[in-house]
Amino acid sequence: TAAPSAFLLAGYRQVGQFLYVVGGFDPSGPSAVAQSSVLHKGAQPRVPSANNTNTYRLDMTTAPGVWTTGPAFTQGRADMGVAYDPMTNKLYGMGGDANGGGFFDSTNLADELPLGSWPAGSWVSSPPNLTLPNRQANQAGFYGSGVIWSVGGLVGQTFQFLPEVQRRNNGGGCGPSPTPTATPTATPTATST
């Protein structure tokens, strides 16, 4: 099903019958690959002036599916990980390419959107942010043991790939792992004969 508007490198997450698409940038501007080829020819590259601020949801229970538009993602990031926590019923946009600075201005910001009142609601800051360095192209969406996860990524300013995993407890879920406790056992004692 065609989306309401074109996008490239948006964050996305499937939650049950719904596919959420967040941010990204307009693909009518050059892609990072096209930008690279333009630089080799000595021409001045064009970069997107601003990332998209859309949040879309596709209901996949019917064919061809139905798109609805939700709250504006005023943070306007692209190339980010989006996670879902079923205990809080929220989407989390983590890291990504910041708005207005070209293709590789990574950030460590985290934002959340409650889904219970879709299409109403709003994206808000969701501390703690990812740890430094800033990153984009990270994968997210993993949920397990009461935490959401962000995996890998790229430091856009230096083009360093990050082989790390970060996790965050949102206050719900299973809580901490149980702490093993010692079980008392009988200790033989000497007796006089």
Side-chain angles (χ1 to χ4, degrees):
T1 303
S5 67
F7 59 84
L8 188 61
L9 295 177
Y12 60 91
R13 179 61 36 222
Q14 181 179 345
V15 179
Q17 72 194 48
F18 300 111
L19 173 66
Y20 293 89
V21 178
V22 183
F25 63 87
D26 183 345
S28 64
S31 68
V33 173
Q35 178 185 8
S36 175
S37 67
V38 168
L39 287 173
H40 289 284
K41 295 177 184 173
Q44 191 68 337
R46 293 181 312 134
V47 296
S49 59
N51 291 335
N52 294 339
T53 59
N54 304 319
T55 304
Y56 296 130
R57 180 172 86 174
L58 175 63
D59 185 341
M60 300 181 291
T61 56
T62 62
V66 178
W67 285 98
T68 55
T69 301
F73 183 58
T74 56
Q75 296 83 345
R77 294 197 308 273
D79 201 16
M80 68 182 155
V82 175
Y84 173 71
D85 182 343
M87 301 308 290
T88 61
N89 194 30
K90 294 178 182 179
L91 288 179
Y92 295 86
M94 299 181 289
D97 173 66
N99 196 12
F103 289 112
F104 300 109
D105 54 338
S106 305
T107 182
N108 69 336
L109 297 177
D111 298 284
E112 65 184 56
L113 173 67
L115 298 179
S117 60
W118 182 271
S122 61
W123 284 93
V124 296
S125 177
S126 182
N129 291 330
L130 295 173
T131 60
L132 295 174
N134 293 340
R135 70 203 58 230
Q136 65 190 80
N138 55 315
Q139 298 298 306
F142 312 108
Y143 173 82
S145 301
V147 296
I148 57 175
W149 303 77
S150 173
V151 179
L154 165 77
V155 179
Q157 294 84 347
T158 63
F159 246 66
Q160 171 194 4
F161 289 89
L162 299 169
E164 63 185 36
V165 175
Q166 293 187 37
R167 64 187 178 129
R168 173 177 131 172
N169 186 324
N170 289 319
C174 304
S177 300
T179 304
T181 56
T183 303
T185 57
T187 304
T189 52
T191 57
S192 56
T193 56

